[in-house]
Amino acid sequence: MQWRIFRWQITFLIGAFLLLHFQTRLFTARAAKSSPWQTLSGDVPAVVAKGGFSGLFPDSSENAYRFTKITGSPDTISWCDVQLTKDGIGFCLPDIKLDNCTNISQYFPDGKKSYVINGVPTMGWFSVDYDARSLSNITLIRGILSRSDRFDFLFSILTPQDVDGLVEPSALWLNIQHDTFYREHNLSMRNYILSLSKSVKVSYISSPEVAFLSSIASRFKRTKTKLFFRLLEEDILEPSTNQTYGSLLKNLTFIKTFASGILIPKQYIWPVTSDLYLQPHSSIVSDAHKEGIEVYASNFANDAVLSYNYSYDPLAEVLSFVDNGDFSVDGVLTDFPITASAAIGNPVVISHNGASGVYPDCTDLAYQQAFEDGADFIDCPVQLTQDGIPICMSSINLLDVTNAATSELQSRTSVVPAVQSAPGIFTFNLTWEEIQKNLKPAISNPELSYRLSRNPRNKNSGSFMKLSDFLTFAKSKALAGILIGVEHAAFYAEDIGYSVTDAVIGALKDSGYNNQTTQQVLIQSTNSSVLTKFKQQTNYKLVYKLDESISDVDKSSLSDIKLFATAVAISKQSVYPASLMFVTDQTELVKTLQSAGLAVYVYLFRNEYVYQPWDFFSDPNVEINSYVQLIGIDGIITDYPGTATRYRRNSCLKLGDNQPNYAMPVKGGQLLELVATLPPALAPMPILDSADVIEPPLPAVSARPSSTGGIALPPAAPSGGSQSLINYGLLFFAMLLVNVLC
């Protein structure tokens, strides 16, 4: 009885997700250019949901199939990997080893056996050792350990008949992966499929075994069921022909005798180098189309490692297979059928240190990429050098963003408590010439703890830029404007003897930004005193950046902000609070700020899938859509401006009341309602008040101290000697200790 109640609750809660209404026909999210689909039929490419929405729920679970139907369209195809029990009953299970996808080992701890499968000895629990009744109590678990375990042990295994009832009238795809193995155990997958097809409408059948497909081809010849030959890795032997899949693919005429299509790993089409860069695409799609054979690509998953060419954007990957100008596959097999959804909206796209997900921060290459990606505003966080030159650098500490730690300048470390507690090599202690001649940029890798690195071939590419160079570059481009970040202004004035605000104002004037109206100038700072000074001396638009997550603002602080700012930049956590990667709620902060006449920009958007809560399905486009559609933000601050601008190019959604049903966003806290064990509750986020906002005026600029910037530095050690190595080791030990303690 309890299980029935729980199942009803789960079904009801999933029904609430109708608010999401994301279309699983990925490809209506293609770019605005009007190119015809280059599929064999000319139709839109199909989407096959592998085991349902298996990127979120356990593969082949009830929720996975229901979620696919609810968030998709009637055209989405549901995939079932068929395994047979010893009494000939079929179940949808993604792995022949049941211990990889269920909790069977808990019920049958002594059931582990070894079988030879396709010539390979394999240990595990297998369906051929159990009848259907004995498996009635086992439940499904995730097969990929990096995915959430909060949906494990909730769902019983399903038969193809069960799945058909869940997804109808959508199409059903049955995959028969191991016919030879079952025949060796006196089980006929052929007879099972032929019998099943009498009561269940099977639209697609695939198998990597030629003999199996050949044995059923004549029976399905005059039906609407399509047979697909599933190719495995190129060097693997196909069991019935003893040829490799790579050699079989060269004989499309032979394949056409028993199949109308091929299902191939995506790397057959877009090969990838060992260091994860794309090679030129193969001709397999066009070759197959010439033979009248459809081509479906497999192995799409948002949380898999992608080629660096895609900058961690799964939408970009899918589009490269379906809308690249040369060919289009006829369908894709994916764990995340929602991917590539996009929505109506036109938020401002602001780069974060240029396209810093692609090239090192604030380099000429990062800014050029941001422009080519279609960013509206490119940004320059200003730091000052020892000789007073304003430069674009994302950190005042060069250890963060350059190769300073391994350069000839490694001995120039110091501790500056007014800036940070850890030792650093700071811009204000080096001249512009020293930085240019001795240092190289270093790409930021914020998710390196997950072994996700950015564009390693170009990790040190590009050149540093002075603010004047940045302004010259920006003025020559068709941009909506620029954003200049100003921090540490009080420190520069009191301790270094420079006014960073005057330096920025002077550079803008010298570059002609005071005498033009083509591009807007945004000045951003976390300090109200900085923005107040700019308001007194310029007519630029001013952005107040809140560097802590808040839940709301009180009326007095809202009035204070309006005295010096026209826009506010807030963190994503201030909009969609999350605990253990589950969104717990959504705040009204954006609405409150906008109702006061302030534009709201949100930071920081990144493509790496570990950076998005589970609610957004490991897809930066789903995340952006939710912030734009539901929250209504005015701007996106992102390391990957190409992803944000690609999201905006969804012309097929600009249909008003007739827009597709996948245009609805993710509502905060809905996914959490399906979790069996809730994550820890978040501590209440503070409410911004006047004491947080009001600051004294910037101090007057002090007389310039010594060339070291007036900061006590450790004695310089001879470069290359043992003392240099000791300093280097002490520096990193100190940094590690600070990170641990903090």
Side-chain angles (χ1 to χ4, degrees):
M1 180 65 180
Q2 289 180 337
W3 170 242
R4 290 180 181 176
I5 294 173
F6 180 70
R7 286 187 61 173
W8 178 86
Q9 290 173 330
I10 289 291
T11 303
F12 176 81
L13 290 172
I14 294 175
F17 269 90
L18 279 166
L19 294 174
L20 299 178
H21 274 304
F22 279 103
Q23 171 72 288
T24 52
R25 297 296 295 258
L26 306 180
F27 311 107
T28 52
R30 59 179 178 161
K33 61 180 182 180
S34 56
S35 61
W37 295 114
Q38 294 176 291
T39 56
L40 181 62
S41 64
D43 294 333
V44 63
V47 178
V48 186
K50 183 182 178 297
F53 207 124
S54 55
L56 180 62
F57 298 102
D59 192 307
S60 305
S61 65
E62 179 176 337
N63 268 22
Y65 288 116
R66 287 190 184 278
F67 204 65
T68 298
K69 183 177 181 180
I70 290 172
T71 61
S73 75
D75 299 329
T76 305
I77 303 164
S78 291
W79 169 285
C80 162
D81 284 289
V82 180
Q83 315 296 342
L84 291 179
T85 60
K86 67 180 181 181
D87 51 346
I89 303 300
F91 285 98
C92 295
L93 292 164
D95 200 314
I96 195 169
K97 292 179 59 178
L98 301 192
D99 48 310
N100 283 347
C101 55
T102 74
N103 64 345
I104 190 172
S105 61
Q106 296 179 9
Y107 287 91
F108 303 100
D110 300 323
K112 190 174 186 179
K113 291 188 177 182
S114 178
Y115 291 112
V116 176
I117 301 176
N118 291 340
V120 179
T122 306
M123 296 282 292
W125 280 256
F126 300 89
S127 60
V128 295
D129 296 318
Y130 306 93
D131 58 30
R133 184 175 182 179
S134 62
L135 297 181
S136 60
N137 291 324
I138 69 172
T139 56
L140 293 161
I141 61 174
R142 72 200 191 283
I144 297 177
L145 296 181
S146 62
R147 293 174 178 171
S148 176
D149 62 353
R150 300 305 171 108
F151 304 111
D152 288 353
F153 312 116
L154 299 179
F155 308 104
S156 300
I157 61 176
L158 302 172
T159 65
Q161 293 93 327
D162 295 330
V163 174
D164 181 58
L166 290 171
V167 304
E168 63 177 352
S170 301
L172 180 64
W173 184 312
L174 302 181
N175 181 59
I176 313 302
Q177 195 73 7
H178 299 287
D179 175 62
T180 298
F181 173 76
Y182 289 110
R183 282 192 287 108
E184 291 170 349
H185 289 80
N186 299 316
L187 293 168
S188 174
M189 191 64 80
R190 178 182 185 274
N191 290 344
Y192 173 79
I193 292 297
L194 294 178
S195 174
L196 180 68
S197 64
K198 295 177 182 178
S199 58
V200 173
K201 182 181 178 182
V202 180
S203 300
Y204 300 84
I205 300 172
S206 61
S207 176
E209 299 188 19
V210 172
F212 171 74
L213 291 173
S214 298
S215 72
I216 64 172
S218 61
R219 298 294 296 268
F220 289 99
K221 189 174 183 179
R222 292 181 175 84
T223 70
K224 294 183 178 180
T225 302
K226 293 183 178 182
L227 304 186
F228 275 72
F229 181 37
R230 186 180 192 185
L231 287 92
L232 306 182
E233 301 299 325
E234 294 185 55
D235 57 348
I236 294 178
L237 286 176
E238 192 281 323
S240 58
T241 63
N242 206 33
Q243 296 183 51
T244 64
Y245 286 100
S247 62
L248 284 169
L249 188 57
K250 297 175 183 177
N251 193 348
L252 293 169
T253 303
F254 170 64
I255 292 174
K256 195 175 180 180
T257 62
F258 59 85
S260 61
I262 55 176
L263 174 63
I264 57 178
K266 60 188 180 183
Q267 64 267 24
Y268 272 60
I269 300 170
W270 280 104
V272 179
T273 63
S274 59
D275 58 345
L276 299 178
Y277 286 87
L278 289 181
Q279 300 183 62
H281 65 73
S282 70
S283 62
I284 183 59
V285 177
S286 56
D287 292 343
H289 284 176
K290 289 176 183 176
E291 294 290 335
I293 297 174
E294 289 188 304
V295 181
Y296 281 49
S298 64
N299 300 348
F300 288 88
N302 295 359
D303 52 2
V305 176
L306 305 181
S307 165
Y308 289 111
N309 298 75
Y310 301 129
S311 299
Y312 295 100
D313 184 355
L315 170 60
E317 181 187 38
V318 172
L319 289 175
S320 73
F321 283 83
V322 301
D323 196 14
N324 56 55
D326 293 331
F327 65 85
S328 175
V329 297
D330 301 280
V332 295
L333 175 64
T334 174
D335 292 8
F336 291 85
I338 201 169
T339 292
S341 302
I344 297 173
N346 194 32
V348 170
V349 175
I350 304 170
S351 73
H352 179 250
N353 307 323
S356 54
V358 183
Y359 289 106
D361 294 8
C362 303
T363 56
D364 56 343
L365 294 180
Y367 290 127
Q368 178 64 33
Q369 186 67 50
F371 166 70
E372 292 178 359
D373 285 343
D376 300 300
F377 290 80
I378 59 174
D379 69 306
C380 169
V382 173
Q383 314 297 342
L384 294 180
T385 63
Q386 189 182 68
D387 45 348
I389 296 175
I391 63 175
C392 298
M393 194 73 68
S394 60
S395 175
I396 197 172
N397 182 5
L398 295 168
L399 290 174
D400 295 336
V401 289
T402 74
N403 68 335
T406 56
S407 73
E408 294 182 0
L409 302 178
Q410 61 181 261
S411 62
R412 300 282 291 274
T413 58
S414 60
V415 176
V416 185
V419 176
Q420 63 180 48
S421 57
I425 299 176
F426 300 101
T427 61
F428 51 81
N429 283 331
L430 299 177
T431 66
W432 171 240
E433 183 178 9
E434 285 179 310
I435 292 173
Q436 276 192 305
K437 288 186 175 181
N438 297 287
L439 301 181
K440 292 182 179 180
I443 199 166
S444 60
N445 284 302
E447 307 300 342
L448 202 56
S449 60
Y450 293 91
R451 298 183 180 180
L452 297 177
S453 58
R454 291 173 169 177
N455 199 0
R457 284 189 184 177
N458 290 285
K459 63 182 180 181
N460 299 117
S461 297
S463 300
F464 301 119
M465 298 187 78
K466 295 184 293 184
L467 174 59
S468 58
D469 297 330
F470 168 85
L471 296 175
T472 300
F473 171 85
K475 199 173 181 184
S476 69
K477 305 298 182 184
L479 293 163
I482 56 174
L483 181 146
I484 307 297
V486 180
E487 302 295 340
H488 309 293
F491 167 77
Y492 279 124
E494 285 187 309
D495 295 85
I496 306 301
Y498 282 124
S499 170
V500 65
T501 55
D502 288 347
V504 170
I505 292 171
L508 286 165
K509 181 180 179 181
D510 293 342
S511 298
Y513 271 89
N514 288 357
N515 303 317
Q516 59 86 47
T517 57
T518 304
Q519 294 184 359
Q520 294 183 45
V521 176
L522 307 180
I523 305 295
Q524 176 179 276
S525 181
T526 58
N527 298 117
S528 61
S529 55
V530 169
L531 299 178
T532 298
K533 183 172 181 179
F534 273 96
K535 185 175 180 64
Q536 292 168 348
Q537 299 186 16
T538 72
N539 293 317
Y540 304 138
K541 293 191 174 182
L542 307 175
V543 182
Y544 185 41
K545 181 179 179 181
L546 300 176
D547 55 0
E548 67 172 341
S549 297
I550 62 172
S551 61
D552 204 352
V553 294
D554 64 21
K555 291 183 178 180
S556 60
S557 62
L558 200 57
S559 299
D560 294 332
I561 293 172
K562 290 179 65 178
L563 293 175
F564 59 81
T566 55
V568 178
I570 61 175
S571 69
K572 294 194 298 183
Q573 184 75 358
S574 297
V575 181
Y576 278 113
S579 175
L580 290 184
M581 300 297 286
F582 283 92
V583 173
T584 60
D585 200 358
Q586 61 195 51
T587 70
E588 297 294 316
L589 179 59
V590 172
K591 186 183 298 183
T592 300
L593 293 168
Q594 289 175 334
S595 65
L598 295 166
V600 180
Y601 308 142
V602 175
Y603 69 89
L604 177 63
F605 288 86
R606 289 173 174 155
N607 287 0
E608 288 86 354
Y609 63 85
V610 296
Y611 200 68
Q612 293 106 35
W614 300 111
D615 305 66
F616 302 124
F617 316 121
S618 305
D619 188 337
N621 302 280
V622 175
E623 182 179 45
I624 290 171
N625 176 60
S626 299
Y627 278 86
V628 174
Q629 286 279 70
L630 183 62
I631 306 300
I633 64 174
D634 300 292
I636 296 166
I637 301 174
T638 174
D639 287 358
Y640 295 93
T643 298
T645 58
R646 190 180 298 112
Y647 162 85
R648 297 189 311 189
R649 292 199 300 266
N650 188 9
S651 61
C652 66
L653 294 177
K654 298 176 181 179
L655 302 174
D657 294 337
N658 297 318
Q659 67 182 29
N661 67 343
Y662 57 85
M664 300 301 291
V666 173
K667 187 176 181 180
Q670 283 189 313
L671 184 61
L672 197 63
E673 295 175 353
L674 304 182
V675 174
T677 303
L678 295 176
L682 289 174
M685 292 189 296
I687 297 174
L688 193 74
D689 59 27
S690 288
D692 301 312
V693 176
I694 299 300
E695 295 177 345
L698 287 176
V701 177
S702 64
R704 289 207 54 228
S706 66
S707 61
T708 61
I711 305 299
L713 298 176
S719 61
S722 59
Q723 184 62 47
S724 179
L725 291 175
I726 292 171
N727 286 345
Y728 180 62
L730 289 174
L731 165 66
F732 277 93
F733 176 77
M735 293 177 67
L736 178 62
L737 183 61
V738 168
N739 287 333
V740 170
L741 294 177
C742 294

